[in-house]
Amino acid sequence: MAPFFESIFNFDEDKSELAIIAMQSAENMGKQVDYYLVNWFNQEAKKCNKSFERKTFLINNKCPRFTTGDGKALINETVRGKDVYILCDVGNYSLTYNMFGAENRMSPDDHYTDLKRIIAAIGGKAKKITVVMPILYGGRQHRRNARESLDCAQMLRELEIMGVSDIITFDAHDPRVQNAIPLVGFDNFMPTYQILKALLRRFPDMCLDKDTFMIVSPDEGAMSRNIYYASVLGVNLGMFYKRRDYSTIVNGRNPIVAHDYIGNDVKGKDIFVADDIIATGDSVLKLCTELKEKGCNKIFLTATYGLFTEGVEKFDEAYKKGLFTAVLSTNLTYVSPALREKEWFVEADMSKFIAYIIAASNQNKSLSGLLDPHDKINELIDKFHDKK
């Protein structure tokens, strides 16, 4: 039933009853996660000759707003004594609310405030609270330069004070922010296996040997995840060094002056580029141009969070020019219907993975097999080569 555990739910041990609060921002993900958990629970109950079954683990909730913009949280079922997992997508920009007759788009600030409202509505009655926040609120403001705020660290401290026991996130921009809450659980998962699985499903004719395939890191900050890909696939690794103008700030960041490439020759090779976020996409498309000028073959771009904050038109144009073959991303944050329809976009579904994490945490099982999917990736690659 589940590759990581002999049995997901153990009815012979006293475990806290599982409850999931999927906030409006993560409503679709919550339904998908609940689907897997309910099936696993009912299959295990039948296997153990138990007469009961579950229809859902989801707890009915909502965060309505007054016309002044003020809000509140309502939880319409009991959570007393339960092991509560709150799913929140602070990056969901599709939701709106009415304020003084004007429609306002919900920002990360709004989503985070609603999360705190939900925790406040629980009122200390849950046995344990775990926040599943795939893209961390304030995650890009993870360190202090000069006199500026530390948004992510402040958020983590606030959740700790409110009684949150564990934080579950994915591909944190800088996982060292967990140092702000040393006594709170902080698990940072990577979508490596799911991204590779999505890649091989869409492009079954790919060749992953080191003579034809290569990993290239878009910058020094993304080296760790690209080193992992290169190591587990056994291929060469290159890197671009971004030279920035630190005397200038444009849209909250220092503009890139030049990309300097370091590494093996990319001529004639398929290139795989992994990063945590695609925001405007300017830097990654410039990287594609430079790689093509160096004579590479296909380019596969991947980001845990494909945000496309300035739209997808520039990617449409680049795709028509042949600058890249595909962009792979997850559904850990909101993906617009328009993006899903793009020929060049490949989505890696993370709902089953999140269900595994929640089930394992609820049953106090080890998460090591989920934190490091090295064996699963090797199995995936072996199956891929056996089919060819």
Side-chain angles (χ1 to χ4, degrees), residues 152-271:
C152 193
Q154 180 67 30
M155 176 271 296
L156 294 174
R157 287 287 289 121
E158 287 179 352
L159 293 185
E160 178 185 25
I161 292 169
M162 295 188 76
V164 173
S165 302
D166 294 281
I167 308 289
I168 294 174
T169 191
F170 293 80
D171 200 356
H173 192 66
D174 189 339
R176 289 175 295 182
V177 295
Q178 66 185 285
N179 293 337
I181 49 168
L183 300 182
V184 173
F186 185 98
D187 289 310
N188 180 43
F189 294 91
M190 302 296 288
T192 316
Y193 171 75
Q194 288 77 14
I195 292 248
L196 286 175
K197 188 175 181 180
L199 174 69
L200 297 180
R201 279 183 173 177
R202 176 65 72 90
F203 303 98
D205 297 328
M206 284 192 63
C207 186
L208 298 180
D209 64 75
K210 64 180 181 180
D211 294 325
T212 59
F213 191 78
M214 185 174 172
I215 308 294
V216 172
S217 177
D219 54 41
E220 63 277 15
M223 275 298 288
S224 59
R225 67 176 56 82
N226 284 278
I227 288 173
Y228 186 89
Y229 277 112
S231 299
V232 76
L233 296 176
V235 297
N236 291 322
L237 173 69
M239 182 192 106
F240 274 92
Y241 170 67
K242 290 179 180 177
R243 286 194 285 128
R244 295 182 178 271
D245 180 5
Y246 287 99
S247 65
T248 305
I249 296 178
V250 179
N251 293 328
R253 59 180 181 167
N254 302 110
I256 299 169
V257 177
H259 282 93
D260 296 326
Y261 177 73
I262 305 170
N264 295 43
D265 188 7
V266 300
K267 188 174 182 179
K269 294 184 178 181
D270 291 338
I271 305 298

Side-chain angles (χ1 to χ4, degrees), residues 19 21 42 53 88 91 98 109 116 158 169 188 203 219 222 244 247 249 281 287 295 338 340:
I21 295 179
N42 291 336
E53 67 175 13
C88 177
N98 186 275
D109 293 343
K116 291 190 289 184
E158 287 179 352
T169 191
N188 180 43
F203 303 98
D219 54 41
R244 295 182 178 271
S247 65
I249 296 178
L287 177 147
R340 282 196 170 100

Side-chain angles (χ1 to χ4, degrees), residues 326-339:
V327 175
L328 298 95
S329 188
T330 72
N331 60 342
L332 288 169
T333 191
Y334 174 74
V335 180
S336 69
L339 179 58

Side-chain angles (χ1 to χ4, degrees), residues 284-388:
V284 75
L285 291 179
K286 186 175 181 180
L287 177 147
C288 290
T289 300
E290 297 193 22
L291 285 173
K292 284 293 185 179
E293 289 175 352
K294 294 179 185 297
C296 77
N297 190 19
K298 297 177 181 178
I299 298 177
F300 300 94
L301 305 174
T302 176
T304 305
Y305 305 102
L307 306 181
F308 302 96
T309 56
E310 293 183 356
V312 297
E313 291 76 13
K314 65 180 72 175
F315 281 84
D316 286 335
E317 184 179 347
Y319 178 70
K320 291 177 182 178
K321 292 179 179 178
L323 291 183
F324 67 89
T325 300
V327 175
L328 298 95
S329 188
T330 72
N331 60 342
L332 288 169
T333 191
Y334 174 74
V335 180
S336 69
L339 179 58
R340 282 196 170 100
E341 293 176 357
K342 296 300 178 182
E343 181 182 3
W344 45 265
F345 182 73
V346 181
E347 182 177 309
D349 181 24
M350 299 295 293
S351 58
K352 192 174 185 180
F353 189 40
I354 294 177
Y356 280 137
I357 294 169
I358 291 176
S361 299
N362 173 253
Q363 296 292 300
N364 297 325
K365 294 180 181 289
S366 172
L367 296 176
S368 58
L370 297 170
L371 284 166
D372 183 6
H374 190 277
D375 293 338
K376 291 291 296 178
I377 293 175
N378 285 336
E379 181 182 340
L380 174 68
I381 300 302
D382 290 341
K383 288 182 179 180
F384 174 72
H385 288 311
D386 290 341
K387 289 180 180 179
K388 297 187 70 174

Side-chain angles (χ1 to χ4, degrees), residues 35-70:
Y35 168 81
Y36 288 110
L37 291 173
V38 168
N39 282 343
W40 294 337
F41 182 91
N42 291 336
Q43 288 177 34
E44 194 66 23
K46 185 177 181 180
K47 179 181 175 183
C48 298
N49 296 317
K50 303 292 183 180
S51 59
F52 50 84
E53 67 175 13
R54 290 297 298 262
K55 293 184 178 180
T56 184
F57 288 102
L58 292 171
I59 298 294
N60 185 279
N61 73 96
K62 58 182 178 179
C63 292
R65 288 181 181 268
F66 301 100
T67 54
T68 57
D70 298 324

Side-chain angles (χ1 to χ4, degrees), residues 141 143-151 249:
Q141 186 55 30
R143 64 183 179 184
R144 172 172 284 157
N145 294 316
R147 190 150 319 264
E148 60 185 21
S149 60
L150 284 170
D151 294 40
I249 296 178

